Amino acid sequence: MMEWLNTEARTPNDYQSQLWRWLDQASESWTQVSPHEFTDAQGTAFARLVLGGQFQVRQQFTARSGAGEPQVQLTCIVTGDYKRALLQAVRGTVPEFGGKVVIHPSETVEYRLSAAGLATQAENRLFGGGDIEENFMAASLRFAIPGVVNITNIEYLPGKAAKTEPAAADPQPSSIAPKPRNVPAWPVVKTEGHVAAYHAARKSLYLTLGRDVLDDRPGAAQAFCQTFGPKAIADAITKQVGTKVHRACRAQDVHKTHTYRNLIQPLIQPKPRKPADWDEMIEERTGDDMPEILEDIPFEDDDC
């Protein structure tokens, strides 16, 4: 699965030139490619540019867990050593997943230059290529940044049971089990997973707007509420998961969650205050205490 992301023990002779060519031909626009058609050198070079944060990849993934749990299709923008980060993001986005999560990627991906890749491309073009320059670039990219995952779309797919279950010849009303009325459509545990994922996917914006709120800048509170108010979050969750199997998520559902009460509500109060761990989040954003380079891991969630 996703062999093109495995760069271990695979360095063909023309890897360095392929690395240079990938970076030179890339642009800021999304370009579609098929990794299964790559040569070893192309695949290794492409993967190294993703791991090094020079390329962003947009790809669809199908995720499933245990029997009776939903199957979802996600569109994600990723960069860095993102395999473990992707599993964590999927678990946070689909709180119904309780067991081992398996993710299947699509055969095609789209890629574009990141901000770092754009700067590297501009610098490299000043030298014009050649054995020395290509060798130098290959040596400078022997690292992997921590994975960054942004889930841009999620769709709940129909369950397999719904496709294969034969229809009754003469269904009777008595044979249809009534839906339980004492089970809430949005229990706190389920809603918490979605709210936490919403917050995590927009953490950079959350910190930027939150700091403006604390600094009492004009219009800051309104801008913060437009993205992080309970109704805005509830509407985004409803758009994401739909209303085929349960009612729409509501602002009062969001209000009950730990993430909203501890990280968002303090900034929406008439007298805003710092949320829990605010100083630590700001410090992480500035790059202090940078996590070590992640080790290569299996793509499947083998820890469960």
Side-chain angles (χ1 to χ4, degrees):
M1 184 181 296
M2 298 192 69
E3 292 84 355
W4 63 269
L5 195 56
N6 180 13
T7 62
E8 295 299 323
R10 215 171 46 153
T11 53
N13 294 332
D14 60 347
Y15 158 71
Q16 294 175 353
S17 61
Q18 288 293 342
L19 192 68
W20 184 280
R21 290 170 188 169
W22 271 119
L23 192 62
D24 186 62
Q25 71 186 10
S27 70
E28 295 180 88
S29 300
W30 290 111
T31 303
Q32 182 172 297
V33 292
S34 300
H36 65 278
E37 298 177 355
F38 292 169
T39 64
D40 283 351
Q42 289 174 331
T44 304
F46 187 87
R48 178 48 52 190
L49 290 165
V50 175
L51 292 169
Q54 306 296 307
F55 280 179
Q56 290 181 325
V57 166
R58 182 166 65 186
Q59 189 170 13
Q60 285 191 336
F61 300 89
T62 301
R64 59 178 175 80
S65 186
E69 296 178 349
Q71 183 174 349
V72 300
Q73 182 173 287
L74 310 102
T75 302
C76 307
I77 298 176
V78 300
T79 193
D81 195 354
Y82 66 84
K83 291 183 289 186
R84 184 175 294 277
L86 178 60
L87 288 164
Q88 294 172 345
V90 170
R91 284 190 171 279
T93 304
V94 190
E96 293 92 341
F97 284 169
K100 176 180 177 179
V101 176
V102 179
I103 299 177
H104 296 282
S106 61
E107 291 188 356
T108 59
V109 303
E110 295 175 286
Y111 77 99
R112 69 179 179 186
L113 287 169
S114 65
L118 186 64
T120 305
Q121 183 191 70
E123 292 176 357
N124 288 345
R125 286 179 173 176
L126 294 176
F127 298 99
D131 292 342
I132 296 176
E133 289 81 4
E134 291 171 7
N135 181 67
F136 176 80
M137 187 176 75
S140 68
L141 286 177
R142 290 176 182 171
F143 64 90
I145 67 169
V148 178
V149 175
N150 183 15
I151 298 177
T152 61
N153 186 58
I154 178 172
E155 179 182 355
Y156 281 67
L157 302 177
K160 292 182 178 180
K163 295 180 180 179
T164 59
E165 183 179 357
D170 187 17
Q172 299 295 325
S174 59
S175 65
I176 302 176
K179 294 182 180 180
R181 297 185 179 182
N182 58 342
V183 178
W186 286 92
V188 175
V189 173
K190 175 180 178 179
T191 315
E192 170 63 33
H194 287 286
V195 175
Y198 181 94
H199 171 266
R202 298 162 178 80
K203 191 172 182 179
S204 179
L205 180 61
Y206 162 80
L207 294 173
T208 299
L209 295 178
R211 188 154 53 183
D212 290 345
V213 170
L214 294 173
D215 291 342
D216 198 24
R217 294 189 177 182
Q222 181 180 2
F224 186 86
C225 287
Q226 285 177 349
T227 302
F228 295 100
K231 188 177 186 305
I233 296 175
D235 290 345
I237 293 173
T238 299
K239 182 178 179 181
Q240 183 182 75
V241 303
T243 56
K244 292 182 179 179
V245 296
H246 43 54
R247 65 165 171 80
C249 184
R250 299 169 182 165
Q252 52 264 43
D253 300 318
V254 175
H255 267 284
K256 300 175 184 178
T257 63
H258 173 85
T259 297
Y260 177 80
R261 288 187 283 107
N262 288 272
L263 298 180
I264 297 174
Q265 192 172 38
L267 293 167
I268 295 181
Q269 294 178 344
K271 293 184 178 180
R273 58 181 176 82
K274 291 182 179 180
D277 301 325
W278 175 262
D279 292 334
E280 289 81 355
M281 288 188 286
I282 291 293
E283 186 174 322
E284 289 177 1
R285 187 190 183 192
T286 59
D288 297 335
D289 298 326
M290 198 71 171
E292 296 182 357
I293 295 175
L294 300 180
E295 297 179 356
D296 193 24
I297 58 169
F299 188 62
E300 291 191 1
D301 188 6
D302 293 329
D303 297 336
C304 299

